[in-house]
Each structure stands twice: as structure tokens, then as C-alpha cells.
Amino acid sequence: NAPNLKWRQMDVESKDCQSFCSEQNGKMDLVTSFSCLHWVPNQPAAVQMFNRILTPGGKFCFVIASTQNSQRNNMKREFENMKREDKWSKMLQKTTWPHFKTIHRNNTWMSTVDHRGFGPIIEKDYVKLMENNGFKVGFSKNMPLNYVFNDEFIRNFFKSTILTSFNELETKEREMFLDEFVRRLKSQKQINADGHYEAHVDGFMIMGEKERNI
């Protein structure tokens, strides 16, 4: 039992979130997020919300996923391999990896974003984002994030993120590429002894405290 614990799900750009910030203005001592923030489309809005609800000197600790590792993540590795092969290089040169398919809005703080709003969140950009929004960063470090997922999660991720991407290709090209891509992945599933999938992701940890109101 935790009588003072409440679950709230909000869009950081919503009126509901603004009301929450007004209610909790400067009342919280700690904000944490572990492998969730990379799904948020408007990062500055999220960081500004954290500033509002934290007390002066309040702490933050985030672990943020950046993108799939090019060597150890079989999906991204195989995509990069195909881009280098003679048969596929010309076709795939106009494509980019979808990362987590988050379309970043309000993204001028990102050095990695493309014209569609796609791009990985990286440590140095996030440090600047936090510092520009009233926070002092005490620690940040790139780190590998090794996740274990069940079959259902991987299937859903593949359907929602991978199979809906690579729209830079013509219809026939996209079909050819995805057929070959799926065939290769089926032959090299990254399954551990418990029958779960291992997903290797590049990410970083960042910690610090609220320095000033904004």
C-alpha cells in the first residue's frame, strides 16, 4: 500500500499537464526517467515541466536511449550491412535508420535531427538542453543499454516501427528490401537461454539538479 502514490498519464503539451504543473509547482524533490524519455516528441516541453515541479535544488536522474547499437543490435547491423552491399547500396543510400520513430518537435536543440524530425537523442545535446532550461548537470556518461524483451514486444516494435519505415523508397523497392531484410533477421534471432530477445541500444545517463526557475 502507498496511499500517497498516484498514477497520472499526461501529454506534456496538454492543458492537463499545465494544471498538474500549477498544482505541483516547486513541490517535488526528485524526477527520474529510465528508458522512457526517448518516446517524448517535445523534449523541451518535458524538461520545462520538470523545472516547474521541482523544488530549488531538486534532483533529476535520467537514463535515455539514443539508438540501436550498430554492431550488437541485429536489426540495425543488418540494415547497415545491406547499405554497404553492391546490390542494395544505391537503393538504400536515400534511406535512414528510424531509431525509435519518434518525430521530434521543437527540435532546434538537436544536432542529429533530419528534415522529417527523426534523429537520435545524444548526450552532449541533452546536457545543453538541461543547462538552457535552468538545470546544473553534475554527471553525464554514454553507456550501453542492454534490454531483454519477450516475443510479443519485439513483434509489435517491428510492425509499428520498422515495417512502417523506409518510405523514401518506391513501393517495389521497399517491398524488395523488406522481404530480404526480414529473411536475414529470421536467420539470426538474438534469443537468450530463457527464450527472450536481447536488444542492444546506445544510450546515456544524466544527473543533476535544478539551479534556477525559468
Side-chain angles (χ1 to χ4, degrees):
N1 267 342
N4 293 323
L5 182 64
K6 296 180 181 179
W7 172 260
R8 295 278 296 272
Q9 182 175 350
M10 294 173 290
D11 183 333
V12 295
E13 298 175 276
S14 68
K15 290 182 179 178
D16 186 30
C17 185
Q18 293 304 312
S19 297
F20 175 80
C21 289
S22 296
E23 295 165 7
Q24 302 298 326
N25 188 38
K27 293 183 179 180
M28 297 192 179
D29 299 315
L30 174 67
V31 173
T32 63
S33 176
F34 301 100
S35 302
C36 293
L37 276 173
H38 61 284
W39 298 112
V40 177
N42 191 334
Q43 293 289 328
V47 171
Q48 288 157 17
M49 181 193 78
F50 300 149
N51 184 283
R52 288 187 65 186
I53 63 177
L54 277 173
T55 188
K59 311 296 184 185
F60 70 88
C61 177
F62 305 146
V63 173
I64 301 176
S66 182
T67 189
Q68 293 80 5
N69 183 274
S70 295
Q71 284 75 46
R72 301 190 67 197
N73 185 283
N74 65 337
M75 285 188 281
K76 190 174 183 184
R77 182 181 63 232
E78 203 53 56
F79 172 71
E80 297 291 347
N81 285 343
M82 290 179 72
K83 285 192 80 169
R84 289 190 291 266
E85 295 174 10
D86 291 342
K87 181 178 178 179
W88 301 101
S89 59
K90 185 176 180 181
M91 180 194 301
L92 296 179
Q93 67 181 356
K94 53 190 172 185
T95 64
T96 56
W97 182 248
H99 311 290
F100 300 101
K101 214 176 180 183
T102 303
I103 301 175
H104 295 283
R105 300 190 296 274
N106 196 9
N107 57 36
T108 55
W109 62 278
M110 297 179 70
S111 63
T112 59
V113 72
D114 66 17
H115 66 283
R116 299 167 301 164
F118 293 124
I121 298 173
I122 62 173
E123 179 200 5
K124 67 176 184 178
D125 287 345
Y126 218 83
V127 168
K128 290 179 182 177
L129 178 65
M130 297 300 293
E131 291 175 342
N132 289 338
N133 283 279
F135 291 95
K136 179 181 179 181
V137 176
F139 173 85
S140 67
K141 181 182 180 181
N142 287 311
M143 59 190 299
L145 305 175
N146 300 320
Y147 301 111
V148 177
F149 297 120
N150 62 23
D151 184 70
E152 182 181 8
F153 182 95
I154 291 294
R155 286 180 182 275
N156 287 337
F157 176 82
F158 195 82
K159 287 178 182 178
S160 64
T161 303
I162 304 301
L163 292 182
T164 58
S165 297
F166 311 110
N167 293 306
E168 308 96 324
L169 299 174
E170 299 293 334
T171 301
K172 284 289 185 183
E173 291 178 330
R174 190 169 174 277
E175 289 175 358
M176 288 173 56
F177 161 66
L178 287 174
D179 283 348
E180 176 63 13
F181 188 57
V182 170
R183 186 192 68 77
R184 295 187 186 199
L185 293 180
K186 284 181 177 179
S187 69
Q188 49 176 306
K189 290 182 179 179
Q190 291 179 304
I191 301 177
N192 63 19
D194 296 322
H196 293 122
Y197 286 80
E198 296 184 354
H200 302 279
V201 173
D202 296 330
F204 59 94
M205 176 182 283
I206 181 169
M207 304 167 62
E209 63 183 46
K210 177 178 172 178
E211 194 169 44
R212 68 185 189 278
N213 291 323
I214 56 171

